[in-house]
């Protein structure tokens, strides 16, 4: 499949998405700085989120609408206030996407309700991302799928049955190109809870491209996922974790994003194909294998012994597997020390 002009699949390097989220800290200049840093790092796409606090929740402060988890980065904040702080103003979208295009990156977004989809369509986005928390919002899935643009769907918290329902709804509504992202919806996530061995199973069940939306620290889990077949990697990005931001604590800084791009591409190249024997690149190394050599000057009629027959480098003589066979054999010529052993010598 393709998103914009970029091919996605096992025959192509992993498609790297830099997720800005709310790390712009309500500064358009900071948002554009993140775009430029992501492009310089080599990301293929930059994603934002399209919502308003009013489209996400109610302006309530009772217990149900306040984050009470003591381990959460956002503990004691009301959902409404958090989304007010984290949202990307809709009037910024065009500037952000335009800068992406100027820098050769794909710009797109996660819509969180139907009004966001309608707005993004006015900007002619090339694809849509569905966040994990909206993966079971079947009306939203159908709305986006009917546009017949590629859909990238995070699956954090979802059971296999829920994923299946979402994929069926998207396909029934007309979407032909779907990427499912393995995701763990904790912030940050731990490697132990990421379970990337699920990736090949997801590909087998749903028959589409599978990637990873990664909330772990660092790049190790993302790189490992490529070996298991991930063709899309999404990571949150920030200019500096020290500056703070709603998602900064588990986001990559620009130099780390560049490392992610490099190392996932190396992992993809390293997959290669099933192959045994000497590669073309290894050909020059063959001569440094061990082989059989005459270790002492020998006269015609002498026999090979442990003193005059050695297994050494380089590899111009007979293979070492013939050592025991040659011991005791008589040579038919004078042989100088340092001569590779050949069959015609006996």
């Amino acid at each position: 499949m393709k998103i914009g002009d970029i091919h996605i699949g096992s025959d192509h390097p992993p498609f790297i998405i830099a997720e800005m989220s709310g790390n712009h800290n309500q500064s358009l200049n900071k948002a554009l700085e993140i775009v430029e840093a992501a492009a310089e790092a080599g990301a293929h796409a930059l994603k934002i989120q399209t919502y308003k606090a009013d489209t996400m929740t109610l302006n309530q402060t009772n217990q149900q609408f306040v984050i009470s988890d003591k381990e959460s980065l956002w503990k004691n904040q009301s959902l409404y206030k958090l989304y007010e702080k984290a949202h990307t103003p809709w009037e910024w979208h065009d500037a952000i996407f335009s800068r992406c295009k100027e820098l050769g990156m794909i710009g797109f977004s996660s819509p969180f309700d139907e009004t966001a989809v309608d707005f993004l369509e006015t900007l002619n986005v090339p694809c849509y991302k569905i966040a994990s928390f909206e993966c079971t919002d079947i009306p939203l899935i159908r709305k986006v799928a009917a546009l017949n643009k590629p859909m990238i769907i995070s699956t954090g918290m979802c059971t296999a049955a829920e994923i299946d329902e979402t994929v069926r709804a998207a396909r029934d509504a007309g979407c032909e190109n779907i990427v499912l992202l393995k995701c763990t919806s904790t912030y940050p996530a731990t490697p132990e809870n990421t379970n990337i061995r699920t990736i090949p199973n997801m590909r087998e069940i749903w028959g589409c491209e599978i990637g990873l939306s990664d909330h772990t620290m660092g790049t190790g889990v993302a790189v490992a996922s490529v070996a298991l077949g991930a063709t899309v990697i999404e990571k949150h990005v920030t200019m500096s974790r020290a500056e703070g931001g709603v998602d900064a604590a588990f986001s990559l800084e620009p130099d780390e994003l560049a490392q992610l791009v490099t190392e996932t591409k190396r992992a993809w190249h390293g997959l290669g194909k099933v192959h045994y024997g000497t590669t073309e690149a290894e050909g020059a190394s063959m001569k440094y294998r061990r082989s059989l050599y005459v270790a002492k000057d020998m006269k015609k009629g002498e026999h090979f012994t442990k003193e005059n027959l050695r297994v050494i480098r380089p590899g111009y003589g007979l293979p070492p597997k013939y050592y025991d066979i040659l011991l005791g054999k008589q040579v038919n010529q004078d042989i100088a020390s340092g001569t590779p052993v050949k069959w015609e010598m006996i």
Side-chain angles (χ1 to χ4, degrees):
M1 61 177 286
K2 289 177 68 176
I3 294 180
D5 294 327
I6 299 179
H7 290 272
I8 296 174
S10 58
D11 292 335
H12 304 278
F15 183 72
I16 306 299
I17 303 168
E19 163 66 89
M20 184 188 301
S21 185
N23 286 333
H24 46 64
N25 291 337
Q26 294 304 307
S27 165
L28 177 57
N29 287 337
K30 178 65 69 177
L32 297 177
E33 189 179 2
I34 292 173
V35 171
E36 291 162 3
E40 186 175 352
H44 301 101
L46 180 126
K47 190 186 80 66
I48 57 179
Q49 299 178 1
T50 306
Y51 63 83
K52 298 175 182 177
D54 286 321
T55 67
M56 293 289 278
T57 190
L58 301 177
N59 189 6
Q60 299 281 342
T61 56
N62 69 54
Q63 186 176 359
Q64 295 180 10
F65 291 86
V66 174
I67 299 171
S68 57
D69 182 358
K70 294 180 180 179
E71 301 300 321
S72 173
L73 295 173
W74 312 293
K75 60 180 179 294
N76 299 326
Q77 295 189 53
S78 77
L79 293 176
Y80 191 90
K81 293 299 182 184
L82 175 62
Y83 298 139
E84 273 193 327
K85 181 169 63 174
H87 87 288
T88 300
W90 291 22
E91 60 269 22
W92 293 4
H93 282 48
D94 188 48
I96 291 171
F97 292 155
S98 295
R99 186 64 58 88
C100 287
K101 187 174 182 179
E102 290 170 9
L103 297 173
M105 269 195 313
I106 294 169
F108 68 106
S109 186
S110 293
F112 287 80
D113 79 317
E114 292 193 0
T115 65
V117 177
D118 292 338
F119 170 70
L120 288 168
E121 275 299 285
T122 69
L123 300 177
N124 197 31
V125 293
C127 63
Y128 284 91
K129 162 74 189 297
I130 302 298
S132 287
F133 291 81
E134 278 61 46
C135 185
T136 57
D137 185 346
I138 299 302
L140 178 64
I141 298 296
R142 290 180 178 136
K143 170 84 172 181
V144 173
L147 301 171
N148 198 22
K149 293 182 178 181
M151 291 180 70
I152 302 170
I153 305 173
S154 277
T155 62
M157 305 171 289
C158 285
T159 65
E162 288 171 331
I163 296 172
D164 194 64
E165 185 178 33
T166 293
V167 171
R168 287 176 184 273
R171 286 174 171 161
D172 289 347
C175 184
E176 298 178 357
N177 294 309
I178 297 172
V179 179
L180 296 176
L181 301 185
K182 178 70 181 74
C183 181
T184 301
S185 296
T186 55
Y187 309 91
T190 63
E192 294 83 357
N193 285 323
T194 304
N195 298 313
I196 57 175
R197 283 197 176 104
T198 312
I199 288 171
N201 185 249
M202 292 173 70
R203 183 181 295 276
E204 180 180 357
I205 293 173
W206 289 290
C208 61
E209 294 302 325
I210 308 297
L212 177 69
S213 179
D214 184 25
H215 301 134
T216 65
M217 303 299 292
T219 61
V221 171
V223 173
S225 74
V226 175
L228 291 169
T231 56
V232 176
I233 305 292
E234 179 188 66
K235 288 283 275 188
H236 287 240
V237 294
T238 183
M239 292 306 299
S240 169
R241 283 188 292 272
E243 290 181 4
V246 291
D247 294 340
F250 58 91
S251 298
L252 297 182
E253 295 181 351
D255 61 329
E256 295 166 328
L257 178 61
Q259 181 183 31
L260 175 74
V261 173
T262 298
E263 295 302 326
T264 52
K265 190 172 183 179
R266 284 176 176 165
W268 171 76
H269 277 298
L271 291 174
K273 59 186 178 182
V274 176
H275 179 271
Y276 297 97
T278 307
T279 64
E280 183 177 350
E282 290 174 312
S285 297
M286 288 291 289
K287 59 180 174 288
Y288 298 114
R289 276 184 162 185
R290 286 181 176 265
S291 68
L292 298 177
Y293 267 77
V294 175
K296 291 184 178 181
D297 292 342
M298 297 181 67
K299 294 294 185 181
K300 181 179 178 179
E302 289 188 15
H303 296 81
F304 282 124
T305 68
K306 291 184 178 181
E307 286 70 38
N308 60 29
L309 182 64
R310 294 274 307 279
V311 178
I312 62 169
R313 295 182 184 185
Y316 296 105
L318 291 173
K321 65 183 179 180
Y322 297 116
Y323 178 79
D324 289 335
I325 295 174
L326 288 171
L327 283 176
K329 293 288 192 274
Q330 191 176 55
V331 298
N332 59 18
Q333 57 191 278
D334 293 346
I335 309 173
S337 175
T339 302
V341 176
K342 304 294 182 182
W343 286 119
E344 53 265 29
M345 294 176 177
I346 58 174

